Amino acid sequence: MGKTRFTVAVVGGGPAGLATALGLGKAGADVLLAAPPHRPPAGNGPDIRTAALFAGSIELLKNLGAWDLVAPHSAPIRAIRIIDDTGALLRAPEVLFSAAEVGRDAFGWNVPNGALVSALLAAAAAPGSQVTVQDTAGIAEVAIGPEAATLTSREGATFEARLVAGADGRNSICRRAAGIPTRTWRYAQAAVVAMFSHARPHHDVSTEFHRPAGPFTTVPLPSLRSSLVWVEQPDEAQRLAALDDTAFRRAIEERLQGLLGSVGEVGARAMFPLSGLTADAFGRNRVALVGEAGHVIPPIGAQGLNLGLRDAATLADCVAAALADGRDPGGADTLEAYSAGRRSDVTSRIATVDVLNRSLISGLLPIHLARGLGVVALKTIGPLRRFAIREGMQPSGALPALLLPDGARLIAERFRHPASRDSAA
Ligand SMILES: Cc1cc2nc3c(=O)[nH]c(=O)nc-3n(C[C@H](O)[C@H](O)[C@H](O)COP(=O)(O)OP(=O)(O)OC[C@H]3O[C@@H](n4cnc5c(N)ncnc54)[C@H](O)[C@@H]3O)c2cc1C
């Protein structure tokens, strides 16, 4: 019989859950990760998504020991180009945001989800990670008690933890067990996702064509390859996803207007209906919500997983502080600090992405005018553009230790406690 009592149990082995487990390990907790091995989101086949991860997220991956494994599969994003392809009467000018403008080499990197999960799993298996990985078909039940939560797997095994990190996606059973209500909404849009090769170099530039049904975005991958997120009305997205490779290739070339030359191989496609979700609280009743268990955001502006990774880093700070002070890592004050720490970042990103998306799909002239003027302002007013670039990458203000260079040492120095203290093991 293996170990069954832990400081923290993380439920869900997507990128947010894995990063949370590793981060909590760095914060001095001993961690159970209960997850089905590499299970992709329901109904989409293998996860062919990539995520554009900004500088703080890359620092986190370095601090967790995962970056060296994922870097060879990833490409830097040194600039973002926005092209108004709405066909509106008042067409906004083309804008190029360059990382060099804010003194950076790159905004971040485009990272394939599959490679990211593999790299994080390898880091969890490395000696000294403090993470015990428990393969399971799923956690079937989470029972909250006064001192600890009890998790029961579908195989009938039980585990106890002071804190449960619910990283079990948008239909989170951890969230339900904690009784945390959500607000959900839908958009009449879906994203078609694919990776493709092309004849002309992308020069490490991501390009967003703003179109009436939503953005059409290419993001660099290593060498002459890019990933595509093509947002359309659901019927059109369905049609595109079902095209044969030749017809899909042609459709991409047409939309790109020659930008990347002729399109070569197109890989598998997946479709994601656009929706949103936000939890009323990110922590309550011994459960902290991370990643899509706490917030779902449309794939516009590359915010979703960046938020999830900031959840992981913030929770690590909160738990490390609780352990160092001899407080309960799953207690109300730890969870209130975590929830409050995540509120404004999540709320502001959801609002910004929502406004941007609705301004594109609105048929109203005044809204097109406002969006056009906004783009002109961003193009012509340097300080405004630099502010928008910095805010787009991560919120201003103090950052959790694991988002900073050398964060693993920082969190250990600031918060490490004697190994035996507060461990439920
Ligand atoms: C088209 C598209 C493009 C995107 N592009 C970007 C981008 O450029 N940048 C960015 O930052 N974000 C992006 N995102 C968002 C990003 O993909 C998500 O935020 C991220 O994948 C969510 O990770 P997660 O770990 O929270 O959830 P998931 O990946 O859904 O993981 C949840 C895990 O929990 C497991 N699970 C569920 N129930 C249980 C249970 N009962 N017991 C145990 N395990 C369970 C599941 O098997 C799953 O592995 C994009 C999203 C889409 C759809």
Side-chain angles (χ1 to χ4, degrees):
M1 180 76 181
K3 186 170 150 65
T4 59
R5 302 179 76 206
F6 295 85
T7 313
V8 190
V10 179
V11 180
L18 279 158
T20 301
L22 286 162
L24 291 167
K26 299 281 176 205
D30 98 279
V31 183
L32 171 77
L33 175 80
H38 259 281
R39 199 181 77 183
N44 284 302
D47 194 343
I48 57 162
R49 285 175 296 177
T50 66
L53 297 182
F54 299 127
S57 299
I58 301 300
E59 286 303 338
L60 176 73
L61 298 180
K62 287 180 184 166
N63 287 321
L64 300 182
W67 177 241
D68 287 349
L69 287 173
V70 85
H73 305 279
S74 311
I77 303 166
R78 301 194 200 280
I80 298 171
R81 180 191 292 120
I82 295 179
I83 297 173
D84 185 338
D85 194 17
T86 52
L89 211 53
L90 299 154
R91 201 160 174 265
E94 184 176 317
V95 193
L96 188 77
F97 297 96
S98 160
E101 278 190 78
V102 289
R104 285 185 179 273
D105 189 37
F107 287 120
W109 291 67
N110 190 30
V111 175
N113 275 21
L116 177 58
V117 168
S118 301
L120 289 164
L121 272 171
S129 83
Q130 303 248 86
V131 178
T132 303
V133 179
Q134 175 69 46
D135 282 355
T136 164
I139 292 299
E141 198 192 334
V142 178
I144 315 287
E147 298 294 325
T150 305
L151 284 70
T152 308
S153 74
R154 290 202 190 135
E155 296 78 16
T158 57
F159 305 94
E160 231 179 74
R162 309 281 297 278
L163 171 68
V164 176
D168 48 344
R170 56 186 70 201
N171 300 316
S172 170
I173 64 157
C174 298
R175 191 178 64 218
R176 223 173 306 138
I180 302 176
T182 57
R183 184 171 72 84
T184 57
W185 61 98
R186 292 201 160 275
Y187 300 88
Q189 291 163 293
V192 179
V193 178
M195 299 187 202
F196 66 100
S197 64
H198 39 80
R200 291 179 57 187
H202 46 55
H203 297 296
D204 303 334
V205 178
S206 171
T207 303
E208 283 183 25
F209 289 84
H210 284 182
R211 307 183 59 254
F216 170 103
T217 306
T218 64
V219 196
L221 283 170
S223 86
L224 291 171
R225 293 177 70 239
S226 291
S227 55
L228 170 69
V229 180
W230 186 345
V231 177
E232 277 290 350
Q233 289 179 349
D235 287 354
E236 178 61 3
Q238 191 94 55
R239 186 190 72 79
L240 289 167
L243 288 178
D244 64 39
D245 284 1
T246 309
F248 190 56
R249 228 180 345 249
R250 271 199 218 109
I252 298 175
E253 278 173 0
E254 200 179 308
R255 288 278 78 86
L256 280 171
Q257 304 163 19
L259 192 77
L260 296 174
S262 59
V263 170
E265 195 189 327
V266 287
R269 268 157 266 161
M271 208 180 99
F272 296 84
L274 261 58
S275 62
L277 173 152
T278 179
D280 282 10
F282 301 114
R284 189 179 285 169
N285 293 334
R286 298 212 166 268
V287 174
L289 301 176
V290 298
E292 292 202 335
H295 42 77
V296 177
I297 190 164
I300 295 172
Q303 296 295 332
L305 185 55
N306 284 290
L307 277 176
L309 296 179
R310 293 204 286 274
D311 296 343
T314 305
L315 188 61
D317 262 12
C318 294
V319 167
L323 291 175
D325 295 349
R327 286 182 286 114
D328 181 352
D333 52 352
T334 310
L335 290 171
E336 272 160 27
Y338 171 67
S339 195
R342 296 306 299 137
R343 176 58 60 199
S344 81
D345 188 16
V346 172
T347 311
S348 64
R349 310 275 144 181
I350 285 178
T352 307
V353 168
D354 188 67
V355 166
L356 179 64
N357 186 32
R358 288 186 199 278
S359 77
L360 279 180
I361 59 180
S362 163
L364 295 175
L365 189 62
I367 293 185
H368 283 283
L369 178 61
R371 187 174 52 81
L373 288 174
V375 175
V376 171
L378 284 175
K379 186 177 170 72
T380 53
I381 307 172
L384 179 65
R385 189 169 61 246
R386 286 189 285 280
F387 174 77
I389 292 174
R390 287 201 191 91
E391 272 301 306
M393 288 167 67
Q394 65 195 10
S396 44
L399 292 174
L402 287 173
L403 297 184
L404 299 170
D406 207 14
R409 189 184 53 80
L410 280 178
I411 203 164
E413 265 178 18
R414 277 198 223 158
F415 303 122
R416 181 135 291 164
H417 59 99
S420 59
R421 194 164 110 203
D422 271 296
S423 168

